Each structure stands twice: as structure tokens, then as C-alpha cells.
Amino acid sequence: MGDAARRAAERAARDSYGRLLAFLAARTRDVAGAEDALAEAFASALASWPEQGVPANPDAWLLTVARRRQTDAIRRRHTRKTGEAHIQLMTEELEAAGAHPDAIPDRRLALMFACAHPEIEAGMRAPLILQTILGLTAIDIAAAFLIPPATMGQRLVRAKARIREAGIPFAIPEREDLAIRLDAVLDAIYAAYAKGWTEIGDTAAERLADEAIWLGRLVVSLLPDEPEAKGMLALMLYAEARRQARRDAGGAYVPLEQQDITLWDEEQIVAAEALLHAANQAGPTGRYQIEAAIQSAHVARRVTSRPNWDAVVALYDVLLDLTHSPVALLNRAVALAETEGPEAALASLDAIAGDRRMADYQPYWAARGHLCARAGRKEEAHEALTLAIGLSTDEAVRHYLIGQRAALQDG
């Protein structure tokens, strides 16, 4: 019974955490308080379900317990006179939701836009969404945004407090206020997808990618006139279409240019192309549309049987003008090596060689090692590949890089 109870709690956390948290926080606007209440509910589940059995509806059980914890906490903070009416209304709503869990309104998108409110520090909007909606840790988020974990944790605490202090409403904003918030929502969804995409073989990470695609579809369905939402969803679908080709039959890592295009998912590519076309028709062009166009240029190989590196480099030029991102410059350098050679690519990389964010960024060192090897700079290649190997969390990628390093001795 203990293992079954633990698995049920883990499944509820995986499938329902964001939905329950968004609902609990919607009325109080106290995200941290809702997180605490939900954490206590899960702790109670782990203590009681092994003995009493897993309830028929785990979500309803968790919501009921979390609501009690939340109500108790509110009572401790408010006087009876000022807080009773508010507590009573919230209690009635949550009891009704617990009795009919299928009717629990999905407030995740509203919470996402609350986290993206102008009152929240601009750089913390996407990280806050990742933690509240998808339950990512400060460590995971810090890695995605190239910020030290301790700094990220402190900023997340402040951002949650700001939602409560400013009384930020949980609602999708009016159209005139949408643009300033939409970017953070899209950034958070795509960052979640990127984490799930990177950690191949990790079932939880792959579910995170699925959740990000679901959220992307939700944003597109609710905001059908927003071209960047379509561009972001297209970008995720292009990547998802290649998932099965990223490992060979033995589980070894396969770089994009060596992938078997017959393993690419044609249905997802067609859906991505349609979304990108619709986004481009709506204009203006934004970051996600450009990145999706880069992926479209890559998957064109399934028709032409050869990579379209000239188009990829040209699109990265546009992306760099728009974002000035060191990651975009890194990716452009890799593509540039295919058109102008490794020395030109390495010269381009020199522009970000002193960027401290690159010091612990595994793709930078992997790319640098690969380019140095192609340029015949064996000593530099060995050093860069050794750093990339040490920073790799994916075993298949690590073994691929070890093979590249070993090949330096044979060349």
C-alpha cells in the first residue's frame, strides 16, 4: 500500500500541481501561501494514504486539505471582523470545487499572466511562471536562465510577495495590456519545453515537454490573433518532430545533421509549418517566428536531402539583430562553420568568449571543442571537450563527446 500511495501522490503532483496551485492562489493572490498549503496537503497524503488507502479522487482530497491549511493561515493573519467574510466565501468556493473536481476551473493561464504583471520584475516573470505553474525548482530555473541558484531563489520569493502586496488580479489582461505580458508567458512555456527536450530518457522531463506543448496550444487557442504564440508552438512542434531521431537503436546521441530523416514525425512538421505560415501572415515577426523559421530551414532537408545552411545563417543574423543573445550567436557560429569553415566560426565565437554566463554553459564548450577539432586545433579542442564532458548531464551526449575527444588522438 505504501508504494501505491507514494505513486498516487507523485502522479497527482505531476498531473495536477499547477492546476491546484492556480485555483488555490486565485482568490487570495498569495502564491507562496498556496504553495505552503499544497505542500502540507501532499505531506498529509503521504502520511495518511498508506494507512487509509488512496482516495477515489486524489485531487479533491488534496484540494480539501490544502483549503483547510490555507483558511487556517488566513485566520491567523486577519482579525475575525476583517477576514471572516473573505474566508467564508473562499471556503464555499473551494468546498464546491472539492466536491466536483471535474468542474475546477483551470486558472493556470490566469496565474501565468498574473506572474507576468508589470509590477513583477521583468527578468523574474518567466522564472516565476515556471515555478508556480510547472513546479520547477530554483536550481532548474537558475540553470535555464544562467543565474546563480541562490540569487534565483531570493528573487522568486520577492516576486511571489509582490503579487500579494500589489493585489495583482489573476486574469487574462485586456488586449492593450497583453503585449507587455505575453513575452514572459511564452518565454516560460518555451523554457519548460527546452528542459524537457534536453533531458532525453527522463520520463518526468518528457512529460514536462508535453505539458509545455499543451500550454502552448492553450495560449494559441485563447489568443488566436497573436503571431508569436503561433511561432512558439511551431518551434516546439518542429523540435518534437525530431525526438525519435535523436538517439540510435543503441541509445547513442545523433547530431541533427546525421539524423535519419525518415524518423522525423511528418504530422508534427506539417502542423508546425501551418502555424508558422499563419504567424507570418499576421505579422509583425518576433523572436519565436524567426527561431521557428530556422527549424523550418533545417527540416527542409527531408525534401532537398541536404541542409540549407545559408538560410540558417541568414535567419540567425536576423535573430541576433533582434535579441543580441549570446546563445543565438553560438548557434549562428555552428551554422557558419558549414558555410565559411571552422576558423570563421571560431572568430565569431570570440565575441562571447569572455561572457561569464558561458563559463558553465555546456553547449558553448561542446561547440567550441567541435569547431577547434575541425580547425585542427587539437589542444584547444581537447580542453573545450573536457569541459563540455564535465558539464554534461545527459549520459548519451557525454559519451558522444568522449568519443569526439578520443578521436583527436587518432586524427
Side-chain angles (χ1 to χ4, degrees), residues 115-338:
C115 292
H117 193 277
E119 289 283 347
I120 303 296
E121 179 188 346
M124 289 308 300
R125 294 169 193 168
L128 185 58
I129 292 168
L130 285 170
Q131 188 167 79
T132 57
I133 300 297
L134 296 169
L136 296 190
T137 67
I139 293 174
D140 287 335
I141 299 168
F145 288 87
L146 307 180
I147 293 174
T151 303
M152 178 61 75
Q154 292 165 359
R155 292 179 182 176
L156 285 167
V157 169
R158 290 198 299 268
K160 291 170 193 174
R162 187 62 189 151
I163 289 178
R164 184 181 67 250
E165 293 163 1
I168 294 172
F170 282 38
I172 297 174
E174 297 298 325
R175 185 163 191 82
E176 59 269 22
D177 299 323
L178 187 62
I180 195 172
R181 300 203 219 175
L182 183 60
D183 285 350
V185 170
L186 298 182
D187 287 350
I189 293 173
Y190 186 67
Y193 178 78
K195 179 174 174 57
W197 163 257
T198 302
E199 299 182 16
I200 295 180
D202 184 325
T203 303
E206 290 181 8
R207 280 195 293 264
L208 183 62
D210 291 340
E211 179 78 355
I213 290 175
W214 184 88
L215 288 169
R217 293 186 190 280
L218 178 62
V219 173
V220 169
S221 68
L222 293 177
L223 307 171
D225 297 327
E226 293 299 327
E228 270 290 81
K230 291 187 177 76
M232 182 205 62
L233 181 56
L235 176 59
M236 293 192 292
L237 293 179
Y238 278 125
E240 196 65 19
R242 301 198 308 270
R243 181 177 289 276
Q244 297 306 315
R246 296 174 67 206
R247 296 287 186 269
D248 67 14
Y253 171 73
V254 182
L256 172 61
E257 62 274 13
Q258 297 175 21
Q259 288 177 7
D260 180 356
I261 61 176
T262 64
L263 296 176
W264 291 354
D265 189 315
E266 185 72 15
E267 183 178 343
Q268 295 202 76
I269 291 174
V270 169
E273 298 273 66
L275 281 163
L276 180 58
H277 178 75
N280 291 340
Q281 291 293 310
T285 300
R287 167 203 162 186
Y288 287 111
Q289 290 158 266
I290 297 169
E291 291 197 36
I294 291 169
Q295 295 306 312
S296 180
H298 281 307
V299 301
R301 178 157 66 93
R302 79 194 199 283
V303 176
T304 64
S305 298
R306 59 184 178 81
N308 191 1
W309 292 113
D310 287 328
V312 171
V313 172
L315 286 164
Y316 271 121
D317 286 336
V318 177
L319 185 63
L320 268 173
D321 286 341
L322 184 66
T323 66
H324 307 290
S325 163
V327 176
L329 190 147
L330 169 62
N331 292 332
R332 179 189 180 276
V334 173
L336 188 67
E338 304 301 328

Side-chain angles (χ1 to χ4, degrees), residues 24-42:
L24 287 164
R27 175 157 291 279
T28 63
R29 299 172 187 171
D30 181 1
V31 175
E35 286 178 329
D36 290 343
L38 197 53
E40 291 186 34
F42 277 106

Side-chain angles (χ1 to χ4, degrees), residues 381-403:
H382 189 279
E383 180 182 356
L385 288 171
T386 299
L387 285 167
I389 291 165
L391 291 168
S392 295
T393 56
D394 185 320
E395 279 299 305
V397 171
R398 196 169 73 85
H399 285 298
Y400 172 79
L401 293 172
I402 290 172

